[in-house]
Amino acid sequence: MTPGSMRTLAEHHGDKTNNFTLLRLVLALVVLVGHAFPITGNGTDPLSEAMLPYAWIGSVAVAGFFAVSGLLVTSSFQSRGVLFFAVSRGLRLYPAVIAYSFVAILVIGPLAVDVPLKQYFDANPWDNFRNSLLWAWDRNLPYAFSTNPLPGSTNGSAWTLPVELRCYLMVLMLGFFGVLEKRGRANVALLALLYFTYQPFDGWALFGESERFLEPLRFFLVGALFWVNRQWVRLGWIMAALAMAALLLSAKFDFRFLELYPVLLTYVLLVLAFKTPVIGLDRFGDISYGVYLYAWPIQQLVWEPGQSALANIALSLPVVLVLAYLSWRMVEKPAMSLRRYLVRPGIRAGGNLPPRAESATLDVGPASAAGTRPD
C-alpha cells in the first residue's frame, strides 16, 4: 500500500480533484437506461433482475445521488452559512424545473397528445406547473402518452425532487439551530434521524407524505454522516472492494441488507469519486440535472409500438443530452451566477475547506437526478 493511498475524506475533499460531475452524469444515464425497459413495455433490465427484490438499477442510482448530495450539501452549509445556502439551493433547484415545466406544457404536451390542441389546452395543462413548486409532483399533462405502455405518465422520475427539497430544508433547520456546528451533536441528531427511517412508517413531519421518501432520506443522512466524520473516513480501493463483497454477501444471505446498503454503497461511491483519474467534465458543465428532468418525457415521446428498450435509448439519448446541455447553458449556469448579486457568502469556521473547494461544494446539482420504478 503506497503512502497516501488511504488518505482521509477530509484530505481528498480539500483538493477539489474529484469526479463528482462524471459520477452524477453516469447515475443519470443509468436511470435513463433502466427506465427504457418499463417505458417500452419490456419489463425489467437484466441487471435489475439479478438485484431484485432488494434494489434495481434505478433505485441504486437515486440512492447514489442522495448519498452524494448529503455529503456535499452538508459541507456547503458548514462552509457558507444559512442565507447563502438557502439562496444557492433555491437557484440550483427551481429555475431549471420552471423552464422544464414550460417546455413540457408548451412543447412536449402538444407532441404527446392525440387530441386537437384546443382540447388539450381546454383541459388546463397549466395545472402541471404546480409540480415546479416541488412540494409534490403529482400532476400529469392531460391526454399525454395515452397509448403508451405507461399511459399518462409525464415524468415518472420526478417524485424525488420534493424529497431533495425536504432534505435541503432539513439541513437548513439543523444548521440554523446549531446542530451541525459540533461533530458530537451532529452525529447524535443525524443518527437519531437515520434510526427513525428504519421504524414503522407512521407519517413524519416534513417527510410524511409517502413512505418511499424514507429511502432517499436514509442515503442523504448517511452522506451527511460521512461528511461530519470526514477526518476519520479513509478512502481506499481495498476497503471499497471489501465493502462491495460485504454488500453482495448481505444480499445473498439476507443479512442486514437495508442497514448495510446505505453505508457500503456510499463508501464505494466516494472512492470512485476521489480515487479514479480525474476526467475534467466541469469545463462542459453539469448536465446531470437536465438529463434527469428530460429523460422520462423524451423516452415516452419517442416510443412507438414494438420498440425495444435499446431502440428507445438510442432514439431518446441524443435529444436528452441536447436539452440537458441547453438547460445548463441557458438556465442553470446563469441562475447560479445570480448568487453573487443576491447575497454575499459568509464563511463559517466549521467548514474547514479552502476557497476553491468551498465553491465546488456549492456548484453541485440535485442528487435526485434519478428516478424510480414506475408504479
Side-chain angles (χ1 to χ4, degrees):
M1 187 177 297
T2 60
S5 61
M6 286 286 285
R7 298 169 65 208
T8 66
L9 173 57
E11 293 170 326
H12 278 292
H13 200 275
D15 289 342
K16 200 195 172 183
T17 53
N18 61 66
N19 276 316
F20 279 121
T21 301
L22 174 62
L23 181 60
R24 286 192 298 268
L25 179 58
V26 169
L27 292 174
L29 294 175
V30 166
V31 172
L32 185 153
V33 171
H35 281 161
F37 289 83
I39 281 175
T40 57
N42 288 297
T44 305
D45 62 279
L47 183 58
S48 292
E49 290 287 355
M51 299 165 64
L52 294 173
Y54 296 103
W56 70 291
I57 62 172
S59 68
V60 172
V62 75
F65 273 106
F66 273 86
V68 169
S69 183
L71 183 140
L72 294 176
V73 169
T74 306
S75 77
S76 171
F77 182 90
Q78 288 194 326
S79 303
R80 298 291 190 169
V82 173
L83 185 57
F84 197 85
F85 175 86
V87 171
S88 296
R89 294 300 93 202
L91 290 174
R92 192 66 183 98
L93 271 182
Y94 281 104
V97 79
I98 290 171
Y100 159 80
S101 295
F102 279 111
V103 173
I105 293 167
L106 295 175
V107 181
I108 295 174
L111 292 174
V113 301
D114 54 6
V115 299
L117 288 183
K118 183 180 186 304
Q119 185 175 345
Y120 167 73
F121 283 106
D122 285 346
N124 190 24
W126 295 102
D127 185 58
N128 187 262
F129 195 78
R130 291 191 186 184
N131 289 335
S132 63
L133 297 174
L134 297 185
W135 196 249
W137 197 286
D138 54 6
R139 288 168 170 80
N140 290 313
L141 293 171
Y143 306 112
F145 311 120
S146 60
T147 61
N148 288 39
L150 297 177
S153 181
T154 305
N155 199 326
S157 302
W159 70 271
T160 57
L161 283 178
V163 192
E164 183 79 6
L165 175 63
R166 285 163 167 78
C167 287
Y168 293 172
L169 293 174
M170 178 185 67
V171 170
L172 189 64
M173 288 189 292
L174 291 175
F176 179 80
F177 289 107
V179 175
L180 300 177
E181 291 181 1
K182 300 292 184 181
R183 182 185 299 125
R185 72 176 70 148
N187 275 321
V188 170
L190 294 171
L191 286 169
L193 289 169
L194 183 62
Y195 170 79
F196 282 114
T197 67
Y198 288 101
Q199 303 312 303
F201 180 76
D202 192 25
W204 276 41
L206 195 62
F207 291 91
E209 282 76 1
S210 173
E211 187 171 4
R212 67 176 178 174
F213 282 12
L214 296 186
E215 181 172 282
L217 170 61
R218 191 174 297 148
F219 278 86
F220 188 95
L221 290 168
V222 169
L225 282 164
F226 269 87
W227 171 253
V228 167
N229 298 285
R230 59 197 177 277
Q231 288 89 351
W232 305 102
V233 178
R234 294 191 173 273
L235 301 179
W237 286 111
I238 294 177
M239 289 296 295
L242 291 174
M244 280 301 302
L247 191 58
L248 293 173
L249 289 172
S250 170
K252 179 177 177 59
F253 295 104
D254 193 21
F255 177 77
R256 297 292 183 183
F257 180 83
L258 291 179
E259 291 84 358
L260 294 173
Y261 177 35
V263 176
L264 298 179
L265 179 64
T266 300
Y267 183 86
V268 171
L269 291 175
L270 293 178
V271 170
L272 290 173
F274 285 113
K275 303 288 285 186
T276 51
V278 176
I279 299 175
L281 287 186
D282 291 326
R283 74 189 77 171
F284 304 109
D286 183 358
I287 67 170
S288 59
Y289 190 17
V291 170
Y292 158 66
L293 284 173
Y294 289 97
W296 181 286
I298 297 302
Q299 288 180 275
Q300 284 275 65
L301 196 60
V302 302
W303 174 83
E304 57 185 22
Q307 186 180 74
S308 69
L310 292 179
N312 184 267
I313 294 166
L315 289 171
S316 62
L317 183 58
V319 180
V320 170
L321 291 176
V322 169
L323 290 173
Y325 182 74
L326 291 175
S327 176
W328 170 255
R329 296 294 299 181
M330 299 175 65
V331 180
E332 298 167 53
K333 185 177 180 181
M336 293 295 286
S337 69
L338 294 176
R339 291 175 304 178
R340 70 188 71 176
Y341 304 109
L342 296 176
V343 61
R344 293 176 63 86
I347 307 299
R348 296 171 61 90
N352 195 30
L353 294 176
R356 291 186 67 199
E358 286 167 352
S359 65
T361 65
L362 295 170
D363 288 336
V364 299
S368 52
T372 183
R373 180 189 301 278
D375 293 332

